[in-house]
Amino acid sequence: MANLKHIENELLPRIARHLIVYASFVPDIGLYHGKMGIVLFFVHYARFTGKQLYHEFAGELLNEIYEEIHTDLPVNFESGLCGIGWGIEYLLQNGFMEGDSDEILADIDAKVMERNLLRISDYSIKTGLEGISYYICKRINSPSRKSECLPFDETFLSDWHTVASSISIPEDKVILDTIINTLPKGEDITSWKYGLENGCAGVGLKNSMGQ
């Protein structure tokens, strides 16, 4: 119990303060190592503490992500468009933000559809087909969509069903557990990375979600 109180009363506030100072300077905007993952920590920490200021900061970071998305960003789940899009859908589906995901994610959907799924040889989560499939599945099953039309065209979805039939899509919690499975060591948080994987946001998210 003492250790839990230490985390709640000391470690989590330290992580929050540290990320408030440095998160805007993180060049990576992706889910694993960058701002998208940090946003997920802050929205959960805002809900955990009941303090609106953390939710507002998450909104500021999300605006920075929108501004920094560019056409050369990779499509992958680790640092690219699919991870960012998955994170935005996560925010919408868990009540952390409001909006029509078809409108918000239209540009990402279009960019993902440029990939020829039949020619992908990398089946990994971080950089390959499995991670892309996490995003596709989350989009087509999204309750945040107001249109009955699917966000991807028939040809793209047909190719996806062809190549991804053996891929199982885990629940959100399992996906996040996989990302934050590796956590930094030591108590000097200034030496830690910033993101979810092996970083401050990962430690913060793990503990603010009660994992």
Side-chain angles (χ1 to χ4, degrees):
M1 182 64 70
N3 186 51
L4 179 60
K5 286 299 181 183
H6 167 74
I7 290 172
E8 292 181 3
N9 297 332
E10 297 184 31
L11 181 59
L12 286 176
R14 284 173 56 209
I15 288 173
R17 290 193 297 269
H18 183 64
L19 289 176
I20 284 174
V21 172
Y22 293 104
S24 290
F25 301 102
V26 176
D28 190 318
I29 62 174
L31 180 62
Y32 276 64
H33 313 291
K35 290 180 179 177
M36 191 69 244
I38 297 172
V39 167
L40 296 191
F41 159 62
F42 273 108
V43 295
H44 275 285
Y45 191 53
R47 186 171 286 179
F48 178 77
T49 61
K51 294 182 178 180
Q52 181 65 17
L53 70 93
Y54 296 123
H55 187 80
E56 293 172 356
F57 184 73
E60 293 175 11
L61 282 183
L62 195 58
N63 288 334
E64 292 178 14
I65 292 170
Y66 290 146
E67 293 173 359
E68 294 171 24
I69 289 178
H70 53 81
T71 56
D72 294 330
L73 204 66
V75 169
N76 69 50
F77 196 68
E78 179 182 15
S79 301
L81 296 175
C82 284
I84 293 170
W86 185 93
I88 291 171
E89 273 285 7
Y90 180 91
L91 295 175
L92 289 164
Q93 293 180 28
N94 287 278
F96 293 114
M97 64 181 287
E98 297 179 351
D100 182 350
S101 61
D102 282 348
E103 294 181 4
I104 296 170
L105 296 170
D107 291 341
I108 291 180
D109 292 341
K111 195 68 180 178
V112 171
M113 276 197 293
E114 292 180 5
R115 290 298 306 269
N116 184 345
L117 301 181
L118 299 177
R119 299 181 67 88
I120 295 178
S121 57
D122 179 354
Y123 272 62
S124 70
I125 297 173
K126 287 185 175 182
T127 58
L129 184 63
E130 186 164 350
I132 295 173
S133 294
Y134 288 178
Y135 176 67
I136 295 171
C137 186
K138 198 159 187 63
R139 287 289 291 122
I140 63 178
N141 293 297
S142 172
S144 303
R145 297 174 49 248
K146 296 179 180 179
S147 171
E148 294 182 0
C149 298
L150 292 175
F152 308 104
D153 63 38
E154 292 183 7
T155 300
F156 181 83
L157 289 176
S158 176
D159 290 347
W160 177 59
H161 286 299
T162 297
V163 298
S165 59
S166 63
I167 295 176
S168 61
I169 309 297
E171 296 179 354
D172 291 351
K173 183 180 183 302
V174 176
I175 293 174
L176 290 175
D177 283 346
T178 300
I179 297 172
I180 62 179
N181 184 51
T182 302
L183 296 174
K185 297 179 180 179
E187 296 186 2
D188 180 13
I189 66 172
T190 63
S191 67
W192 295 357
K193 297 177 181 179
Y194 297 111
L196 289 182
E197 185 179 65
N198 199 27
C200 290
V203 175
L205 183 63
K206 183 179 180 69
N207 288 287
S208 60
M209 291 180 70
Q211 298 185 52

